[in-house]
Amino acid sequence: MAYIHNTIVDLKQSSPAQSEFYQAVEEVLESISPILDSNLNYQQQAIIQRMVEPERQIMFRVPWVDDSGNIQVNKGYRVEFNSALGPYKGGLRFHPSVNASIIKFLGFEQIFKNALTGLPIGGGKGGANFNPKGRSDNEVMRFCQSFMNELYRHIGPTTDVPAGDIGVGAREIGYMFGQYKRLTGRYDGVLTGKSLLWGGSLVRKEATGYGAVYFADHMLNARGESLQGQRCLVSGSGNVAIYAMEKLYQLGATPICCSDSSGTLYHQEGIDLKLVKQIKEQQRGSLIEYLNNHPDAVYTPTSDYPADGHAIWRYQADAAFPCATQNELTEADAETLLDNGCKTVSEGANMPSAQKAVDLFIQSSIAYGPGKAVNAGGVATSQLEMAQNASMQSWSFEQVDQKLQQIMKNIFITTIDTAREFGQPNNLVLGANIAGFRRVAHAMIEQGVV
Ligand code: GLU
């Protein structure tokens, strides 16, 4: 497998200091090795070399004025990674940790995730190292307007359609859409995750979390089991985590933990989801406030986390849904989960498990669903939003949810069938990566060297 080593060596030279990006590339390259060895065409066509290099990367200054009148400067990104299957599609992340490595790993993952949905969307990602937390609505608006002052010239409904990700929700999408409209004079379906009042799609907000649970349910059903009665750990308390918990309750399971950047909440009788929604969606507050209503719950601040991992994965449960961020589940966390009898891991976040944790899950033969398959319901429903915008229609909640369920079922079947085809029925990482790769690679070959 010299090509993996060589590709990473080349990337380290041409794109230094991008460890998350190398991690994402290495995982994909390792799992597709069975088809690379047997298909010389991929090598002759330099598919790997072309895939790991984004078609276009835009980096820009985002200056804005805060409420005290000080000038702030952030760094903005849009990486248009691969358009073989359709317009670039992928979210924007506003978080202080954002850098070129994070955006490139997310953009790279997005290519295969989007391919797995079966829909005509290419892969892209963007964002800024801006922290919306603690900022006033006016500050967020000025930041979003400045961000769009550069981004607008690179996007369009048939070229590149950004959406939300960490730190970018309906508020930020609204401010960016308003500025796009002002700059271009066009009411385009250029962003997804829009408000329901002006072009958004029902179920988009819920889609990533719901989809992650639908996928877990398929994994369990294939083993003759179900989520009914299962106790679950759900990390995060953003859009993905909240709607994963909602769907878990609807399917008869009980989420007992969730978390935010300050700590982990454990509530033995089950998380009070209405309260979490109120704290996070309305008050934009911290989970510690949950204790005001439920003094029997336990809150562990990040300062008390184990040195080798995260407090949430140390609770005993049947299933784990990492729905927060990349590398939030370490090897030691994976060992603890397995020792405690956890039988399902379904990743709502992008690349939440460290590589060694992934290896342990696959070796142990539990039901393990990798992020790019499990969380694809979000971007798939974004494409449904694009379809509604383009045809000037709006579909009912039931119609969109039906389509989402069908898409998640198809992703599961494609993934597991591909894993079986390569003699590793339990390795859905291999299944997802090969299935996604094949679709993109064949489209690239058919479209020539561009
Ligand atoms: N940020 C989400 C993801 O990681 C959604 C992207 C989109 O809807 O375009 O897939």
Side-chain angles (χ1 to χ4, degrees):
M1 296 208 276
Y3 78 95
I4 302 179
H5 175 77
N6 295 343
T7 307
I8 300 292
V9 168
D10 288 350
L11 282 180
K12 283 186 175 163
Q13 204 146 46
S14 64
S15 308
Q18 299 188 346
S19 56
E20 292 85 0
F21 176 50
Y22 313 145
Q23 182 185 342
V25 170
E26 208 161 342
E27 185 214 272
V28 170
L29 294 190
E30 263 171 26
S31 45
I32 62 173
S33 62
I35 49 170
L36 283 185
D37 296 341
S38 60
N39 192 330
L40 283 180
N41 200 21
Y42 294 140
Q43 290 171 40
Q44 282 154 6
Q45 294 277 347
I47 288 295
I48 299 298
Q49 293 93 318
R50 287 156 66 191
M51 258 187 206
V52 299
E53 190 59 36
E55 290 177 19
R56 193 174 299 104
Q57 304 183 61
I58 301 135
M59 275 189 245
F60 49 100
R61 182 174 69 195
V62 190
W64 55 285
V65 181
D66 69 19
D67 285 347
S68 316
N70 297 318
I71 296 172
Q72 304 279 345
V73 182
N74 288 99
K75 194 160 174 137
Y77 301 84
R78 186 70 184 167
V79 175
E80 298 182 334
F81 226 118
N82 193 301
S83 63
L85 295 179
Y88 309 104
K89 184 82 200 81
L92 298 169
R93 176 176 292 193
F94 292 168
H95 191 267
S97 64
V98 162
N99 57 34
S101 172
I102 300 277
I103 298 299
K104 280 178 70 181
F105 115 66
L106 290 165
F108 189 71
E109 290 281 292
Q110 200 84 43
I111 303 171
F112 306 98
K113 181 197 308 199
N114 294 3
L116 273 177
T117 65
L119 301 167
I121 39 180
K125 202 85 186 190
N129 61 346
F130 167 71
N131 191 358
K133 264 202 197 110
R135 292 290 178 189
S136 69
D137 285 354
N138 276 335
E139 289 179 316
V140 171
M141 180 179 72
R142 286 193 294 273
F143 175 82
C144 289
Q145 290 176 339
S146 180
F147 187 84
M148 190 50 84
N149 283 346
E150 175 58 35
L151 188 69
Y152 85 97
R153 63 186 103 243
H154 308 289
I155 61 176
T158 57
T159 52
D160 184 355
V161 187
D165 196 84
I166 293 173
V168 178
R171 175 182 61 169
E172 290 75 15
I173 293 289
Y175 292 146
M176 286 191 276
F177 184 82
Q179 187 69 356
Y180 174 86
K181 189 171 54 121
R182 180 162 196 205
L183 290 165
T184 60
R186 296 171 64 95
Y187 210 105
D188 282 333
V190 72
L191 291 164
T192 60
K194 297 185 291 297
S195 158
L196 295 174
L197 293 174
W198 44 270
S201 173
L202 287 160
V203 196
R204 175 62 192 89
K205 184 172 69 168
E206 295 85 353
T208 315
Y210 278 17
V213 175
Y214 292 145
F215 195 95
D217 206 36
H218 284 303
M219 290 197 292
L220 284 165
N221 291 346
R223 293 163 179 247
E225 294 162 34
S226 88
L227 279 165
Q228 177 78 38
Q230 298 222 348
R231 292 174 69 76
C232 307
L233 310 173
V234 182
S235 64
S237 49
N239 217 31
V240 183
I242 284 179
Y243 293 96
M245 290 195 277
E246 184 166 284
K247 187 52 74 179
L248 284 171
Y249 274 126
Q250 287 173 10
L251 297 187
T254 307
I256 52 170
C257 276
C258 61
S259 63
D260 65 11
S261 56
S262 319
T264 290
L265 187 67
Y266 166 68
H267 200 175
Q268 206 243 338
E269 68 186 42
I271 295 289
D272 176 348
L273 191 54
K274 211 167 147 221
L275 182 59
V276 171
K277 281 189 187 179
Q278 188 192 316
I279 294 171
K280 288 292 168 184
E281 293 185 338
Q282 281 152 40
Q283 294 160 216
R284 296 184 187 273
S286 164
L287 276 182
I288 198 165
E289 293 161 35
Y290 187 97
L291 300 183
N292 299 337
N293 295 54
H294 293 291
D296 57 322
V298 180
Y299 181 80
T300 310
T302 46
S303 52
D304 292 349
Y305 281 9
D308 55 0
H310 192 300
I312 196 165
W313 313 124
R314 308 303 165 105
Y315 286 98
Q316 198 279 322
D318 305 301
F321 292 80
C323 295
T325 194
Q326 67 275 355
N327 292 325
E328 56 162 314
L329 195 160
T330 64
E331 184 182 14
D333 291 330
E335 277 166 4
T336 314
L337 280 171
L338 295 170
D339 287 349
N340 284 341
C342 176
K343 292 272 181 335
T344 304
V345 176
S346 195
E347 295 182 340
N350 291 312
M351 206 170 75
S353 306
Q355 188 56 52
K356 289 202 167 133
V358 175
D359 295 343
L360 283 176
F361 292 145
I362 293 173
Q363 279 159 25
S364 67
S365 293
I366 61 161
Y368 169 64
K372 64 169 76 68
V374 170
N375 71 40
V379 73
T381 309
S382 275
Q383 199 276 347
L384 301 179
E385 184 173 330
M386 290 163 69
Q388 290 169 80
N389 292 162
S391 60
M392 297 187 175
Q393 293 178 24
S394 34
W395 303 334
S396 69
F397 192 97
E398 289 68 32
Q399 275 175 301
V400 183
D401 190 38
Q402 273 302 317
K403 288 182 200 289
L404 169 63
Q405 289 189 37
Q406 190 58 50
I407 291 168
M408 293 315 298
K409 186 174 176 189
N410 292 346
I411 295 174
F412 175 71
I413 291 171
T414 307
T415 304
I416 197 158
D417 282 354
T418 310
R420 286 185 182 131
E421 182 188 334
F422 288 88
Q424 299 188 46
N426 193 49
N427 189 345
L428 300 189
V429 175
L430 176 139
N433 283 332
I434 292 188
F437 172 85
R438 274 204 290 220
R439 195 166 168 234
V440 181
H442 291 171
M444 287 174 72
I445 292 168
E446 286 170 13
Q447 291 172 20
V449 181
V450 291

